[in-house]
Amino acid sequence: MEFGIINIMKEVGEVGEVLFVKDNKFRRLSIRIKNDQSITVQVPLMMSFKESELFLKKKIGWINKQKEKILKRKILKQNQMPSKRMTDKFIMNTTKKIFSLSLKHNLNYNRLNYKWMKSRWGSCSYNNNISLNLWMIFLPNDLINYIILHELVHTKIKNHSQEFWIKLEKICKNPKLFNKRLNDEYGI
């Protein structure tokens, strides 16, 4: 049995260069397409690279569709870094907003911090520590509010189950539309 991480870069027909990553932490086969159009296939340890390549070839239509979506996104990391003054103002306003929404909806968090994250808009830890991505500074207010409410609901429900979406729907109308818009129109 193999242990550790095994990486193989391979040219795959219509898709082009693909990085296959085999690791024991992967439970299922998945395809990741980054904003730069690069493709990574995450391969569970017990699956062969040949099987994963066949899976990838079956998904060429889906991959091309995802690449088209990515091309339409506004990639925020390509924006100029905001000034310290602009960032400080964003942090101050967002901190007030999350505190107010937390009280209004009785969704209590422990700590709040801000980071320049590469792939997430926000996160909520098991201990209800919320982290928000500073790239949100370039998003419209309605999407910022959606991200905040999304993370606040995670203080009560730690997954994306139907229960989570029902609770979020009670405080944020059409959350799945906001989620789709966020993912379709913006990238980090």
Side-chain angles (χ1 to χ4, degrees):
M1 180 180 269
E2 304 168 43
F3 293 96
I5 301 172
I6 302 166
N7 294 336
I8 294 177
M9 186 68 82
K10 187 170 185 180
E11 190 73 27
V12 180
E14 293 176 46
V15 179
E17 206 169 68
V18 176
L19 176 63
F20 291 86
V21 180
K22 187 181 269 202
D23 193 336
N24 61 0
K25 73 179 178 182
F26 301 141
R27 299 288 171 242
R28 60 189 170 100
L29 188 62
S30 67
I31 301 169
R32 304 269 186 236
I33 306 171
K34 293 184 180 176
N35 290 326
D36 65 1
Q37 304 280 315
S38 64
I39 299 173
T40 302
V41 178
Q42 296 177 335
V43 184
L45 202 57
M46 301 307 286
M47 181 176 279
S48 73
F49 284 115
K50 188 171 183 100
E51 286 176 290
S52 60
E53 187 176 338
L54 288 171
F55 174 79
L56 178 77
K57 287 178 178 176
K58 289 179 185 175
K59 297 292 185 179
I60 288 174
W62 177 84
I63 290 167
N64 290 333
K65 194 174 176 183
Q66 297 310 308
K67 283 183 164 188
E68 284 176 28
K69 276 185 179 181
I70 290 169
L71 287 173
K72 294 176 185 173
R73 284 185 191 157
K74 182 177 182 180
I75 308 301
L76 299 180
K77 279 196 289 192
Q78 294 173 353
N79 284 354
Q80 183 177 341
M81 286 294 277
S83 68
K84 179 161 174 27
R85 184 172 174 244
M86 189 176 167
T87 304
D88 289 346
K89 184 178 179 186
F90 172 79
I91 290 171
M92 184 181 70
N93 291 338
T94 306
T95 301
K96 286 179 187 175
K97 189 181 293 189
I98 196 167
F99 181 75
S100 171
L101 289 168
S102 169
L103 290 176
K104 179 180 178 181
H105 299 292
N106 194 28
L107 297 167
N108 302 316
Y109 61 96
N110 183 25
R111 276 186 295 167
L112 175 63
N113 73 56
Y114 297 86
K115 304 176 196 177
W116 297 102
M117 292 190 256
K118 293 180 180 179
S119 61
R120 295 175 175 219
W121 294 109
S123 66
C124 179
S125 74
Y126 181 78
N127 297 319
N128 294 336
N129 297 323
I130 293 177
S131 294
L132 295 175
N133 194 332
L134 282 166
W135 289 111
M136 289 169 50
I137 201 167
F138 294 110
L139 294 176
N141 279 330
D142 60 341
L143 290 178
I144 293 170
N145 290 340
Y146 161 73
I147 293 166
I148 290 169
L149 290 169
H150 183 110
E151 297 311 329
L152 283 171
V153 171
H154 277 311
T155 63
K156 298 286 185 207
I157 303 166
K158 302 294 184 201
N159 56 47
H160 289 115
S161 63
Q162 187 174 4
E163 178 189 13
F164 170 85
W165 291 105
I166 290 168
K167 180 140 181 86
L168 184 55
E169 174 81 36
K170 289 178 182 174
I171 61 173
C172 174
K173 297 298 171 217
N174 299 314
K176 288 193 176 182
L177 289 177
F178 281 113
N179 191 53
K180 181 174 175 15
R181 188 171 140 217
L182 184 63
N183 291 321
D184 286 353
E185 296 178 21
Y186 297 93
I188 307 168

